[in-house]
Amino acid sequence: MTAPPRGVLAGTAAEPGVAKPDPLLVVDRVGKAFGGIQAVDVEHLEVQRGVITGLIGPNGAGKTTLFNLLTGFDRADTGTWSFDGRAVAGLAAHRLARRGMVRTFQLTKVLGRLTVLENMKLGATGQRGERLVPALLRPAWRRQEAAIERRADVLLARFKLDAMRDAYAGYLSGGQRKLLEVARALMVEPTMVMLDEPMAGVNPALRQSLLGQITDLADGGTSVLFVEHDMDVVMRISDWVVCMAQGQVIAEGPPSSILGNRAVIDAYLGSQHDEPGLGEQP
Amino acid sequence: MDILVILGDAGRAALGPQAAIYALAAIGLNIHFGYTGLLNLGQVGFMLVGAYGVAITVATFGGPLWAGVLVGLACAVVLAILLGIPTLRLRADYLAIATIAAGEVLRLTYNAGFAQPVTGGVYGLQQFAGSFYATNPISPGSYGVGRLVYSERDLWVMVVGWGAVALATLGLFLLIRSPWGRVLRSVREDEDAARSLGKNVFGYKMQSLILGGVLGALGGMLLAVDTQAVAPNTFNPVVTFYLYTLLILGGAGRVLGPALGSVIFWFLLLFIDSALLQAIGAGYIPAEVLSPSDVGALRFALVGLALVLLLAFRPAGILGNPREMRLEAGAAGTPRRRRKSTQAGSDRERGVAR
């Protein structure tokens, strides 16, 4: 699974905020407080290009809030971040998406009264027919539309949604909705997809297929950053794992190093458990 | 009691200038509400600025009619931008509040004493559409069959009015089938999803508000021209609710919904009106129970009842797609805040669909 080029992180030290060989996303001192609670307080984080990075942490660790901040769906109080070498802090969500940073949502957002195919076609960027005046002139966008439809059909077949192509997306099952959301995000041709709990509510059969899709993505050169609670999934497909707790990055490293990491265990289980050595600290 | 008289009255209203006017304004509302999900409760405000744009330009400043039309359209665009900038970034509820307030502010301002030199205040303005009727190519007389007859004057307004409705419907048909329309419908479904796919949601909502507002203004102009008079109290908030009624009756989010809804609305309204008057006249209803002067109010109550029944048994409207409607009631159509709790409900919906 960690065959080149996805094994590039082999020599990177497993410590929070460590520099990566080829970072796609670089986050600096990003903070967000809700009332008196510091939801996110990330000192420094780099996300490597072309690999699968898992983001874990207990409930309320600030994972989804960090997603919202980075993708422009929420405004950060402090901090800067750059994507693909360009500063993107404060950019509107739709501009970030056009630059190749595309997210999905924890609670799926399929467009129920659009067909599955329409959901897919919506994802394509730079459509001439999406501008008011050319929209009236079908010849101005017909060929582009046909090309988009072909691309959508390929993706739908890959995600095994082709049978549902012309059904309203609102009639899909929960798992199919997750698949559609990921497939639709790919229509944007993202540099990086950010998946917020892609496996939540997905049945085991679909789960296998979704896992395969995610690893295929990374093999195809798309970077993946995903939030997930299912440790089994995280350990199986991640090339690198970042753990957050109370808004901060408390550990990162290859999956094998995370399982035994003291800070991670403390974050999940609390640091009160009896263990020799702990009591010596002030 | 003469059923032919009743049908004639109802038919004349269903095809008459008034129905065309309401259809035009409702097409605008369909763009707002039916396709973009913008709950605009102040469509009458757009009609007002359109009507007064024509009236003030011609009657107060002595300008030509075409200049009045341009002024009216410009006013609608400005109004849409002024309304949209502060409210389109907020939740839909705020737009509803702001638009209903804006409509009232406009009506009261045009009504005010200080505005009287320009707007005519409470008396309004009259006789400004002479040049419209001067260009009437239809020779004087009455046209039609049986009791369904129109004067050459009405016919000319109808030709222009229904022509505008046809053009607007065709334009909407082309737009909605285009990728532009797809984005608009995605904004209606879930604007965060549209945003996450790189769509400038604010821009699309603004385009929708302007486009629908301009159609509302055109409806208002036609109303002003038809009656050769404008007065602020013509533009009551209740007009917006009639527009919603006929839009939902015809089918919101359907290209032909507003036109069909308007025809049926006016048919029903005048059918009941005429039938009641005939029944009183023939002595079927004693004058102590219902006097002819009460009919005007009662007909709206009965139309309301008819609409309630229709919507109870066909909530998607006449042209609506029941499969789509079921989604609106299920998970996909509910606001984001409530969606999580209706997940179980949506499973039931799917069961029904099969």
PDB file of all heavy atoms in Angstrom, chain A residues 94 97-98 109 112-113 118 122 124 127 129-130 135 145 168 171-172, chain B residues 178 180 182 185-186 189-190 198-199 204 321 323-324 327 336 350 353:
ATOM      1  N   HIS A  94     -16.087  29.207  -2.732  1.00  0.00           N
ATOM      2  CA  HIS A  94     -16.162  28.751  -4.119  1.00  0.00           C
ATOM      3  C   HIS A  94     -14.850  28.986  -4.866  1.00  0.00           C
ATOM      4  O   HIS A  94     -14.494  28.251  -5.777  1.00  0.00           O
ATOM      5  CB  HIS A  94     -17.348  29.393  -4.842  1.00  0.00           C
ATOM      6  CG  HIS A  94     -17.218  30.875  -5.062  1.00  0.00           C
ATOM      7  ND1 HIS A  94     -17.603  31.791  -4.138  1.00  0.00           N
ATOM      8  CD2 HIS A  94     -16.749  31.561  -6.115  1.00  0.00           C
ATOM      9  CE1 HIS A  94     -17.368  33.008  -4.617  1.00  0.00           C
ATOM     10  NE2 HIS A  94     -16.848  32.896  -5.816  1.00  0.00           N
ATOM     11  N   ALA A  97     -12.550  26.161  -3.944  1.00  0.00           N
ATOM     12  CA  ALA A  97     -12.917  24.949  -4.674  1.00  0.00           C
ATOM     13  C   ALA A  97     -12.364  24.996  -6.088  1.00  0.00           C
ATOM     14  O   ALA A  97     -11.841  24.014  -6.607  1.00  0.00           O
ATOM     15  CB  ALA A  97     -14.439  24.794  -4.686  1.00  0.00           C
ATOM     16  N   ARG A  98     -12.463  26.183  -6.730  1.00  0.00           N
ATOM     17  CA  ARG A  98     -11.964  26.301  -8.101  1.00  0.00           C
ATOM     18  C   ARG A  98     -10.461  26.140  -8.160  1.00  0.00           C
ATOM     19  O   ARG A  98      -9.909  25.758  -9.178  1.00  0.00           O
ATOM     20  CB  ARG A  98     -12.335  27.668  -8.679  1.00  0.00           C
ATOM     21  CG  ARG A  98     -13.808  27.770  -9.011  1.00  0.00           C
ATOM     22  CD  ARG A  98     -14.095  29.095  -9.647  1.00  0.00           C
ATOM     23  NE  ARG A  98     -15.526  29.393  -9.558  1.00  0.00           N
ATOM     24  CZ  ARG A  98     -16.029  30.605  -9.776  1.00  0.00           C
ATOM     25  NH1 ARG A  98     -15.233  31.602 -10.080  1.00  0.00           N
ATOM     26  NH2 ARG A  98     -17.321  30.796  -9.683  1.00  0.00           N
ATOM     27  N   LYS A 109     -24.574  16.191   1.441  1.00  0.00           N
ATOM     28  CA  LYS A 109     -25.356  17.250   0.820  1.00  0.00           C
ATOM     29  C   LYS A 109     -25.571  16.917  -0.645  1.00  0.00           C
ATOM     30  O   LYS A 109     -24.999  17.552  -1.520  1.00  0.00           O
ATOM     31  CB  LYS A 109     -24.616  18.581   0.950  1.00  0.00           C
ATOM     32  CG  LYS A 109     -24.550  19.099   2.375  1.00  0.00           C
ATOM     33  CD  LYS A 109     -23.939  20.476   2.402  1.00  0.00           C
ATOM     34  CE  LYS A 109     -23.729  20.992   3.805  1.00  0.00           C
ATOM     35  NZ  LYS A 109     -24.969  21.162   4.550  1.00  0.00           N
ATOM     36  N   GLY A 112     -31.171  16.866  -3.764  1.00  0.00           N
ATOM     37  CA  GLY A 112     -32.215  15.853  -3.888  1.00  0.00           C
ATOM     38  C   GLY A 112     -33.073  15.948  -5.126  1.00  0.00           C
ATOM     39  O   GLY A 112     -33.411  14.944  -5.728  1.00  0.00           O
ATOM     40  N   ARG A 113     -33.444  17.164  -5.514  1.00  0.00           N
ATOM     41  CA  ARG A 113     -34.349  17.296  -6.638  1.00  0.00           C
ATOM     42  C   ARG A 113     -33.596  17.561  -7.945  1.00  0.00           C
ATOM     43  O   ARG A 113     -34.140  18.131  -8.883  1.00  0.00           O
ATOM     44  CB  ARG A 113     -35.384  18.389  -6.370  1.00  0.00           C
ATOM     45  CG  ARG A 113     -36.503  17.882  -5.454  1.00  0.00           C
ATOM     46  CD  ARG A 113     -37.586  18.902  -5.280  1.00  0.00           C
ATOM     47  NE  ARG A 113     -37.135  20.009  -4.447  1.00  0.00           N
ATOM     48  CZ  ARG A 113     -37.764  21.181  -4.379  1.00  0.00           C
ATOM     49  NH1 ARG A 113     -38.818  21.395  -5.097  1.00  0.00           N
ATOM     50  NH2 ARG A 113     -37.307  22.126  -3.576  1.00  0.00           N
ATOM     51  N   GLU A 118     -27.265  15.093 -13.049  1.00  0.00           N
ATOM     52  CA  GLU A 118     -27.186  16.551 -12.896  1.00  0.00           C
ATOM     53  C   GLU A 118     -26.284  16.932 -11.732  1.00  0.00           C
ATOM     54  O   GLU A 118     -25.520  17.901 -11.819  1.00  0.00           O
ATOM     55  CB  GLU A 118     -28.584  17.133 -12.671  1.00  0.00           C
ATOM     56  CG  GLU A 118     -29.428  17.215 -13.915  1.00  0.00           C
ATOM     57  CD  GLU A 118     -30.821  17.753 -13.632  1.00  0.00           C
ATOM     58  OE1 GLU A 118     -31.451  17.314 -12.652  1.00  0.00           O
ATOM     59  OE2 GLU A 118     -31.275  18.610 -14.387  1.00  0.00           O
ATOM     60  N   LEU A 122     -22.967  19.246 -12.383  1.00  0.00           N
ATOM     61  CA  LEU A 122     -22.819  20.501 -11.662  1.00  0.00           C
ATOM     62  C   LEU A 122     -21.372  20.698 -11.201  1.00  0.00           C
ATOM     63  O   LEU A 122     -20.880  21.820 -11.121  1.00  0.00           O
ATOM     64  CB  LEU A 122     -23.746  20.510 -10.444  1.00  0.00           C
ATOM     65  CG  LEU A 122     -23.741  21.774  -9.606  1.00  0.00           C
ATOM     66  CD1 LEU A 122     -24.434  22.907 -10.342  1.00  0.00           C
ATOM     67  CD2 LEU A 122     -24.393  21.536  -8.267  1.00  0.00           C
ATOM     68  N   ALA A 124     -18.562  20.106 -12.638  1.00  0.00           N
ATOM     69  CA  ALA A 124     -17.555  20.552 -13.606  1.00  0.00           C
ATOM     70  C   ALA A 124     -17.361  22.061 -13.517  1.00  0.00           C
ATOM     71  O   ALA A 124     -18.331  22.805 -13.391  1.00  0.00           O
ATOM     72  CB  ALA A 124     -17.981  20.149 -15.012  1.00  0.00           C
ATOM     73  N   GLN A 127     -17.725  26.102 -16.823  1.00  0.00           N
ATOM     74  CA  GLN A 127     -18.769  25.838 -17.809  1.00  0.00           C
ATOM     75  C   GLN A 127     -19.268  27.145 -18.422  1.00  0.00           C
ATOM     76  O   GLN A 127     -19.716  28.025 -17.703  1.00  0.00           O
ATOM     77  CB  GLN A 127     -19.942  25.102 -17.156  1.00  0.00           C
ATOM     78  CG  GLN A 127     -19.570  23.737 -16.620  1.00  0.00           C
ATOM     79  CD  GLN A 127     -20.805  22.942 -16.207  1.00  0.00           C
ATOM     80  OE1 GLN A 127     -21.804  22.935 -16.901  1.00  0.00           O
ATOM     81  NE2 GLN A 127     -20.720  22.269 -15.069  1.00  0.00           N
ATOM     82  N   GLY A 129     -21.903  27.519 -20.185  1.00  0.00           N
ATOM     83  CA  GLY A 129     -23.358  27.601 -20.042  1.00  0.00           C
ATOM     84  C   GLY A 129     -23.815  28.021 -18.658  1.00  0.00           C
ATOM     85  O   GLY A 129     -25.003  28.156 -18.426  1.00  0.00           O
ATOM     86  N   GLU A 130     -22.885  28.218 -17.752  1.00  0.00           N
ATOM     87  CA  GLU A 130     -23.286  28.666 -16.413  1.00  0.00           C
ATOM     88  C   GLU A 130     -23.342  30.177 -16.329  1.00  0.00           C
ATOM     89  O   GLU A 130     -23.620  30.733 -15.275  1.00  0.00           O
ATOM     90  CB  GLU A 130     -22.328  28.106 -15.351  1.00  0.00           C
ATOM     91  CG  GLU A 130     -22.560  26.622 -15.116  1.00  0.00           C
ATOM     92  CD  GLU A 130     -21.733  26.057 -13.979  1.00  0.00           C
ATOM     93  OE1 GLU A 130     -20.887  26.792 -13.438  1.00  0.00           O
ATOM     94  OE2 GLU A 130     -21.936  24.881 -13.653  1.00  0.00           O
ATOM     95  N   ALA A 135     -26.016  31.006 -21.606  1.00  0.00           N
ATOM     96  CA  ALA A 135     -26.935  29.932 -21.222  1.00  0.00           C
ATOM     97  C   ALA A 135     -28.132  29.874 -22.163  1.00  0.00           C
ATOM     98  O   ALA A 135     -28.698  28.810 -22.411  1.00  0.00           O
ATOM     99  CB  ALA A 135     -27.405  30.136 -19.786  1.00  0.00           C
ATOM    100  N   GLU A 145     -20.959  20.564 -22.766  1.00  0.00           N
ATOM    101  CA  GLU A 145     -21.885  19.796 -21.948  1.00  0.00           C
ATOM    102  C   GLU A 145     -21.767  18.297 -22.251  1.00  0.00           C
ATOM    103  O   GLU A 145     -21.766  17.458 -21.342  1.00  0.00           O
ATOM    104  CB  GLU A 145     -23.316  20.295 -22.225  1.00  0.00           C
ATOM    105  CG  GLU A 145     -24.409  19.558 -21.475  1.00  0.00           C
ATOM    106  CD  GLU A 145     -24.641  20.088 -20.070  1.00  0.00           C
ATOM    107  OE1 GLU A 145     -23.851  20.945 -19.622  1.00  0.00           O
ATOM    108  OE2 GLU A 145     -25.592  19.642 -19.419  1.00  0.00           O
ATOM    109  N   TYR A 168     -33.697  10.820  -9.266  1.00  0.00           N
ATOM    110  CA  TYR A 168     -33.429  11.954  -8.385  1.00  0.00           C
ATOM    111  C   TYR A 168     -32.467  11.516  -7.289  1.00  0.00           C
ATOM    112  O   TYR A 168     -32.628  10.436  -6.697  1.00  0.00           O
ATOM    113  CB  TYR A 168     -34.723  12.460  -7.751  1.00  0.00           C
ATOM    114  CG  TYR A 168     -35.574  13.271  -8.676  1.00  0.00           C
ATOM    115  CD1 TYR A 168     -36.858  12.871  -9.002  1.00  0.00           C
ATOM    116  CD2 TYR A 168     -35.085  14.448  -9.233  1.00  0.00           C
ATOM    117  CE1 TYR A 168     -37.647  13.629  -9.868  1.00  0.00           C
ATOM    118  CE2 TYR A 168     -35.856  15.205 -10.084  1.00  0.00           C
ATOM    119  CZ  TYR A 168     -37.134  14.793 -10.403  1.00  0.00           C
ATOM    120  OH  TYR A 168     -37.903  15.544 -11.245  1.00  0.00           O
ATOM    121  N   TYR A 171     -33.487  10.030  -3.906  1.00  0.00           N
ATOM    122  CA  TYR A 171     -33.930   8.653  -3.718  1.00  0.00           C
ATOM    123  C   TYR A 171     -32.779   7.694  -3.446  1.00  0.00           C
ATOM    124  O   TYR A 171     -32.993   6.492  -3.316  1.00  0.00           O
ATOM    125  CB  TYR A 171     -34.726   8.185  -4.942  1.00  0.00           C
ATOM    126  CG  TYR A 171     -36.102   8.801  -5.011  1.00  0.00           C
ATOM    127  CD1 TYR A 171     -36.431   9.722  -5.999  1.00  0.00           C
ATOM    128  CD2 TYR A 171     -37.072   8.474  -4.071  1.00  0.00           C
ATOM    129  CE1 TYR A 171     -37.690  10.303  -6.040  1.00  0.00           C
ATOM    130  CE2 TYR A 171     -38.328   9.048  -4.109  1.00  0.00           C
ATOM    131  CZ  TYR A 171     -38.636   9.962  -5.088  1.00  0.00           C
ATOM    132  OH  TYR A 171     -39.872  10.531  -5.124  1.00  0.00           O
ATOM    133  N   LEU A 172     -31.546   8.211  -3.381  1.00  0.00           N
ATOM    134  CA  LEU A 172     -30.405   7.335  -3.101  1.00  0.00           C
ATOM    135  C   LEU A 172     -30.379   6.936  -1.632  1.00  0.00           C
ATOM    136  O   LEU A 172     -30.869   7.655  -0.769  1.00  0.00           O
ATOM    137  CB  LEU A 172     -29.091   8.047  -3.437  1.00  0.00           C
ATOM    138  CG  LEU A 172     -28.836   8.394  -4.903  1.00  0.00           C
ATOM    139  CD1 LEU A 172     -27.459   9.026  -5.039  1.00  0.00           C
ATOM    140  CD2 LEU A 172     -28.945   7.178  -5.782  1.00  0.00           C
TER     141      LEU A 172
ATOM    142  N   SER B 178     -30.439  24.975 -19.151  1.00  0.00           N
ATOM    143  CA  SER B 178     -29.008  25.208 -19.354  1.00  0.00           C
ATOM    144  C   SER B 178     -28.242  24.922 -18.065  1.00  0.00           C
ATOM    145  O   SER B 178     -28.831  24.770 -16.998  1.00  0.00           O
ATOM    146  CB  SER B 178     -28.790  26.673 -19.743  1.00  0.00           C
ATOM    147  OG  SER B 178     -28.900  27.484 -18.589  1.00  0.00           O
ATOM    148  N   TRP B 180     -26.724  27.020 -16.436  1.00  0.00           N
ATOM    149  CA  TRP B 180     -27.052  28.127 -15.519  1.00  0.00           C
ATOM    150  C   TRP B 180     -28.233  27.741 -14.644  1.00  0.00           C
ATOM    151  O   TRP B 180     -28.219  27.949 -13.422  1.00  0.00           O
ATOM    152  CB  TRP B 180     -27.371  29.373 -16.350  1.00  0.00           C
ATOM    153  CG  TRP B 180     -27.617  30.618 -15.541  1.00  0.00           C
ATOM    154  CD1 TRP B 180     -26.673  31.493 -15.087  1.00  0.00           C
ATOM    155  CD2 TRP B 180     -28.883  31.128 -15.095  1.00  0.00           C
ATOM    156  NE1 TRP B 180     -27.272  32.513 -14.393  1.00  0.00           N
ATOM    157  CE2 TRP B 180     -28.619  32.320 -14.381  1.00  0.00           C
ATOM    158  CE3 TRP B 180     -30.203  30.706 -15.225  1.00  0.00           C
ATOM    159  CZ2 TRP B 180     -29.627  33.091 -13.809  1.00  0.00           C
ATOM    160  CZ3 TRP B 180     -31.217  31.470 -14.647  1.00  0.00           C
ATOM    161  CH2 TRP B 180     -30.920  32.646 -13.949  1.00  0.00           C
ATOM    162  N   ARG B 182     -29.166  24.813 -13.918  1.00  0.00           N
ATOM    163  CA  ARG B 182     -28.748  23.724 -13.032  1.00  0.00           C
ATOM    164  C   ARG B 182     -28.118  24.288 -11.757  1.00  0.00           C
ATOM    165  O   ARG B 182     -28.389  23.819 -10.645  1.00  0.00           O
ATOM    166  CB  ARG B 182     -27.757  22.835 -13.781  1.00  0.00           C
ATOM    167  CG  ARG B 182     -27.400  21.559 -13.072  1.00  0.00           C
ATOM    168  CD  ARG B 182     -26.803  20.581 -14.057  1.00  0.00           C
ATOM    169  NE  ARG B 182     -25.589  21.090 -14.670  1.00  0.00           N
ATOM    170  CZ  ARG B 182     -25.216  20.804 -15.920  1.00  0.00           C
ATOM    171  NH1 ARG B 182     -25.940  20.049 -16.684  1.00  0.00           N
ATOM    172  NH2 ARG B 182     -24.083  21.306 -16.411  1.00  0.00           N
ATOM    173  N   ARG B 185     -30.872  25.715  -9.541  1.00  0.00           N
ATOM    174  CA  ARG B 185     -31.623  24.699  -8.804  1.00  0.00           C
ATOM    175  C   ARG B 185     -30.755  24.096  -7.692  1.00  0.00           C
ATOM    176  O   ARG B 185     -31.268  23.707  -6.641  1.00  0.00           O
ATOM    177  CB  ARG B 185     -32.120  23.613  -9.761  1.00  0.00           C
ATOM    178  CG  ARG B 185     -33.290  24.117 -10.622  1.00  0.00           C
ATOM    179  CD  ARG B 185     -33.853  23.033 -11.507  1.00  0.00           C
ATOM    180  NE  ARG B 185     -32.844  22.572 -12.448  1.00  0.00           N
ATOM    181  CZ  ARG B 185     -32.614  21.300 -12.732  1.00  0.00           C
ATOM    182  NH1 ARG B 185     -33.324  20.363 -12.167  1.00  0.00           N
ATOM    183  NH2 ARG B 185     -31.677  20.975 -13.590  1.00  0.00           N
ATOM    184  N   SER B 186     -29.450  24.019  -7.927  1.00  0.00           N
ATOM    185  CA  SER B 186     -28.588  23.478  -6.874  1.00  0.00           C
ATOM    186  C   SER B 186     -28.530  24.437  -5.691  1.00  0.00           C
ATOM    187  O   SER B 186     -28.450  24.010  -4.545  1.00  0.00           O
ATOM    188  CB  SER B 186     -27.183  23.197  -7.421  1.00  0.00           C
ATOM    189  OG  SER B 186     -26.431  24.388  -7.520  1.00  0.00           O
ATOM    190  N   GLU B 189     -31.504  23.729  -3.663  1.00  0.00           N
ATOM    191  CA  GLU B 189     -31.422  22.489  -2.900  1.00  0.00           C
ATOM    192  C   GLU B 189     -30.494  22.623  -1.701  1.00  0.00           C
ATOM    193  O   GLU B 189     -30.826  22.219  -0.602  1.00  0.00           O
ATOM    194  CB  GLU B 189     -30.940  21.344  -3.787  1.00  0.00           C
ATOM    195  CG  GLU B 189     -31.871  21.010  -4.941  1.00  0.00           C
ATOM    196  CD  GLU B 189     -33.235  20.556  -4.467  1.00  0.00           C
ATOM    197  OE1 GLU B 189     -33.293  19.554  -3.734  1.00  0.00           O
ATOM    198  OE2 GLU B 189     -34.240  21.191  -4.822  1.00  0.00           O
ATOM    199  N   ASP B 190     -29.292  23.129  -1.935  1.00  0.00           N
ATOM    200  CA  ASP B 190     -28.322  23.241  -0.832  1.00  0.00           C
ATOM    201  C   ASP B 190     -27.191  24.168  -1.268  1.00  0.00           C
ATOM    202  O   ASP B 190     -26.336  23.774  -2.050  1.00  0.00           O
ATOM    203  CB  ASP B 190     -27.763  21.864  -0.486  1.00  0.00           C
ATOM    204  CG  ASP B 190     -27.019  21.899   0.833  1.00  0.00           C
ATOM    205  OD1 ASP B 190     -26.262  22.859   1.053  1.00  0.00           O
ATOM    206  OD2 ASP B 190     -27.201  20.984   1.637  1.00  0.00           O
ATOM    207  N   GLY B 198     -17.543  25.053  -6.211  1.00  0.00           N
ATOM    208  CA  GLY B 198     -16.949  26.196  -6.902  1.00  0.00           C
ATOM    209  C   GLY B 198     -17.952  27.164  -7.508  1.00  0.00           C
ATOM    210  O   GLY B 198     -17.585  27.954  -8.372  1.00  0.00           O
ATOM    211  N   LYS B 199     -19.204  27.107  -7.092  1.00  0.00           N
ATOM    212  CA  LYS B 199     -20.187  28.029  -7.665  1.00  0.00           C
ATOM    213  C   LYS B 199     -20.320  29.256  -6.781  1.00  0.00           C
ATOM    214  O   LYS B 199     -20.440  29.141  -5.557  1.00  0.00           O
ATOM    215  CB  LYS B 199     -21.568  27.351  -7.781  1.00  0.00           C
ATOM    216  CG  LYS B 199     -21.553  25.987  -8.446  1.00  0.00           C
ATOM    217  CD  LYS B 199     -20.957  26.000  -9.827  1.00  0.00           C
ATOM    218  CE  LYS B 199     -20.794  24.586 -10.353  1.00  0.00           C
ATOM    219  NZ  LYS B 199     -19.855  24.520 -11.488  1.00  0.00           N
ATOM    220  N   TYR B 204     -25.199  34.060  -8.203  1.00  0.00           N
ATOM    221  CA  TYR B 204     -26.372  33.458  -8.843  1.00  0.00           C
ATOM    222  C   TYR B 204     -27.666  33.937  -8.206  1.00  0.00           C
ATOM    223  O   TYR B 204     -28.655  34.186  -8.876  1.00  0.00           O
ATOM    224  CB  TYR B 204     -26.286  31.928  -8.799  1.00  0.00           C
ATOM    225  CG  TYR B 204     -25.367  31.385  -9.864  1.00  0.00           C
ATOM    226  CD1 TYR B 204     -24.057  31.054  -9.578  1.00  0.00           C
ATOM    227  CD2 TYR B 204     -25.814  31.241 -11.171  1.00  0.00           C
ATOM    228  CE1 TYR B 204     -23.208  30.591 -10.565  1.00  0.00           C
ATOM    229  CE2 TYR B 204     -24.976  30.768 -12.157  1.00  0.00           C
ATOM    230  CZ  TYR B 204     -23.673  30.447 -11.850  1.00  0.00           C
ATOM    231  OH  TYR B 204     -22.834  29.994 -12.829  1.00  0.00           O
ATOM    232  N   ASN B 321     -44.476  17.614 -10.394  1.00  0.00           N
ATOM    233  CA  ASN B 321     -44.117  16.211 -10.524  1.00  0.00           C
ATOM    234  C   ASN B 321     -44.195  15.579  -9.140  1.00  0.00           C
ATOM    235  O   ASN B 321     -43.423  15.927  -8.251  1.00  0.00           O
ATOM    236  CB  ASN B 321     -42.689  16.146 -11.086  1.00  0.00           C
ATOM    237  CG  ASN B 321     -42.145  14.743 -11.150  1.00  0.00           C
ATOM    238  OD1 ASN B 321     -42.715  13.818 -10.580  1.00  0.00           O
ATOM    239  ND2 ASN B 321     -41.045  14.591 -11.856  1.00  0.00           N
ATOM    240  N   ARG B 323     -43.277  12.822  -7.887  1.00  0.00           N
ATOM    241  CA  ARG B 323     -42.040  12.184  -7.409  1.00  0.00           C
ATOM    242  C   ARG B 323     -41.096  13.227  -6.826  1.00  0.00           C
ATOM    243  O   ARG B 323     -40.420  12.987  -5.840  1.00  0.00           O
ATOM    244  CB  ARG B 323     -41.339  11.461  -8.572  1.00  0.00           C
ATOM    245  CG  ARG B 323     -41.874  10.070  -8.823  1.00  0.00           C
ATOM    246  CD  ARG B 323     -41.121   9.419  -9.973  1.00  0.00           C
ATOM    247  NE  ARG B 323     -39.725   9.120  -9.654  1.00  0.00           N
ATOM    248  CZ  ARG B 323     -39.334   8.088  -8.929  1.00  0.00           C
ATOM    249  NH1 ARG B 323     -40.215   7.250  -8.465  1.00  0.00           N
ATOM    250  NH2 ARG B 323     -38.064   7.878  -8.685  1.00  0.00           N
ATOM    251  N   GLU B 324     -41.089  14.394  -7.468  1.00  0.00           N
ATOM    252  CA  GLU B 324     -40.223  15.455  -6.982  1.00  0.00           C
ATOM    253  C   GLU B 324     -40.779  16.023  -5.679  1.00  0.00           C
ATOM    254  O   GLU B 324     -40.041  16.339  -4.764  1.00  0.00           O
ATOM    255  CB  GLU B 324     -40.155  16.538  -8.052  1.00  0.00           C
ATOM    256  CG  GLU B 324     -38.859  17.309  -8.058  1.00  0.00           C
ATOM    257  CD  GLU B 324     -38.846  18.342  -9.155  1.00  0.00           C
ATOM    258  OE1 GLU B 324     -38.887  17.957 -10.335  1.00  0.00           O
ATOM    259  OE2 GLU B 324     -38.777  19.530  -8.815  1.00  0.00           O
ATOM    260  N   LEU B 327     -39.907  14.285  -2.554  1.00  0.00           N
ATOM    261  CA  LEU B 327     -38.568  14.604  -2.060  1.00  0.00           C
ATOM    262  C   LEU B 327     -38.589  15.870  -1.243  1.00  0.00           C
ATOM    263  O   LEU B 327     -37.872  15.999  -0.277  1.00  0.00           O
ATOM    264  CB  LEU B 327     -37.614  14.769  -3.244  1.00  0.00           C
ATOM    265  CG  LEU B 327     -37.208  13.473  -3.902  1.00  0.00           C
ATOM    266  CD1 LEU B 327     -36.412  13.769  -5.152  1.00  0.00           C
ATOM    267  CD2 LEU B 327     -36.379  12.660  -2.937  1.00  0.00           C
ATOM    268  N   ARG B 336     -31.441  22.451   6.124  1.00  0.00           N
ATOM    269  CA  ARG B 336     -30.276  21.760   6.666  1.00  0.00           C
ATOM    270  C   ARG B 336     -30.401  21.445   8.145  1.00  0.00           C
ATOM    271  O   ARG B 336     -30.044  20.387   8.598  1.00  0.00           O
ATOM    272  CB  ARG B 336     -29.026  22.629   6.494  1.00  0.00           C
ATOM    273  CG  ARG B 336     -28.389  22.509   5.159  1.00  0.00           C
ATOM    274  CD  ARG B 336     -27.024  23.184   5.198  1.00  0.00           C
ATOM    275  NE  ARG B 336     -27.115  24.590   5.550  1.00  0.00           N
ATOM    276  CZ  ARG B 336     -27.568  25.496   4.715  1.00  0.00           C
ATOM    277  NH1 ARG B 336     -27.990  25.160   3.538  1.00  0.00           N
ATOM    278  NH2 ARG B 336     -27.598  26.753   5.074  1.00  0.00           N
ATOM    279  N   ARG B 350     -38.477   6.470   0.544  1.00  0.00           N
ATOM    280  CA  ARG B 350     -37.968   5.629  -0.539  1.00  0.00           C
ATOM    281  C   ARG B 350     -38.823   4.387  -0.688  1.00  0.00           C
ATOM    282  O   ARG B 350     -39.050   3.903  -1.775  1.00  0.00           O
ATOM    283  CB  ARG B 350     -36.506   5.263  -0.287  1.00  0.00           C
ATOM    284  CG  ARG B 350     -35.557   6.344  -0.726  1.00  0.00           C
ATOM    285  CD  ARG B 350     -34.146   5.818  -0.750  1.00  0.00           C
ATOM    286  NE  ARG B 350     -33.725   5.322   0.540  1.00  0.00           N
ATOM    287  CZ  ARG B 350     -33.322   6.112   1.524  1.00  0.00           C
ATOM    288  NH1 ARG B 350     -33.278   7.398   1.354  1.00  0.00           N
ATOM    289  NH2 ARG B 350     -32.957   5.604   2.672  1.00  0.00           N
ATOM    290  N   ALA B 353     -41.696   5.240  -2.679  1.00  0.00           N
ATOM    291  CA  ALA B 353     -41.389   5.473  -4.083  1.00  0.00           C
ATOM    292  C   ALA B 353     -41.362   4.180  -4.879  1.00  0.00           C
ATOM    293  O   ALA B 353     -41.714   4.150  -6.044  1.00  0.00           O
ATOM    294  CB  ALA B 353     -40.044   6.173  -4.211  1.00  0.00           C
TER     295      ALA B 353
END
